[in-house]
Amino acid sequence: LGWGDAERRSKLTIDVYFHVITDTSGNGALTQQEVEAQMDVLNAGFKQTRTKFVLKGTTTTANNAWFVASPDTTDEADMKGALRVGDASTLNLYSLANDE
């Protein structure tokens, strides 16, 4: 087997921090079981790529502005700046209000 074959067989592991953002009334709260279920979905979706996502931590933050933060806004940047953990190899996921 060539070098490329060994590389294809190796598994990529990505550390994940899951940040649950609620409003101050508790809307948007997730249980640890719900977070773990989302991790299961993520891992199932990437199974064919031999990528594994490992939950390293979960935070819950009550902040009305962050709960409804839109992409590319100051609120989103403030939230990510305050909560982000790890380096560029770490995946940080954020659960916010569903505006659909």
Side-chain angles (χ1 to χ4, degrees):
L1 296 176
W3 182 80
D5 293 328
E7 184 180 13
R8 279 193 293 274
R9 284 195 311 270
S10 67
K11 186 177 270 190
L12 175 62
T13 300
I14 299 175
D15 292 342
V16 176
Y17 288 86
F18 201 107
H19 306 283
V20 179
I21 312 302
T22 69
D23 65 15
T24 54
S25 297
N27 294 308
L30 298 176
T31 66
Q32 189 61 31
Q33 292 157 324
E34 289 171 316
V35 170
E36 291 170 5
Q38 288 302 302
M39 293 299 299
D40 290 342
V41 170
L42 184 61
N43 277 306
F46 281 82
K47 186 175 183 177
Q48 295 297 328
T49 69
R50 301 186 57 76
T51 301
K52 181 178 181 182
F53 297 90
V54 178
L55 183 63
K56 292 293 188 175
T58 304
T59 66
T60 300
T61 303
N63 184 306
N64 289 333
W66 294 356
F67 182 61
V68 294
S70 297
D72 302 318
T73 62
T74 301
D75 286 332
E76 180 197 37
D78 290 347
M79 173 189 66
K80 290 180 176 180
L83 299 178
R84 189 173 199 322
V85 178
D87 58 23
S89 68
T90 307
L91 176 62
N92 283 254
L93 298 175
Y94 302 87
S95 173
L96 311 175
N98 182 353
D99 60 356
E100 292 181 24

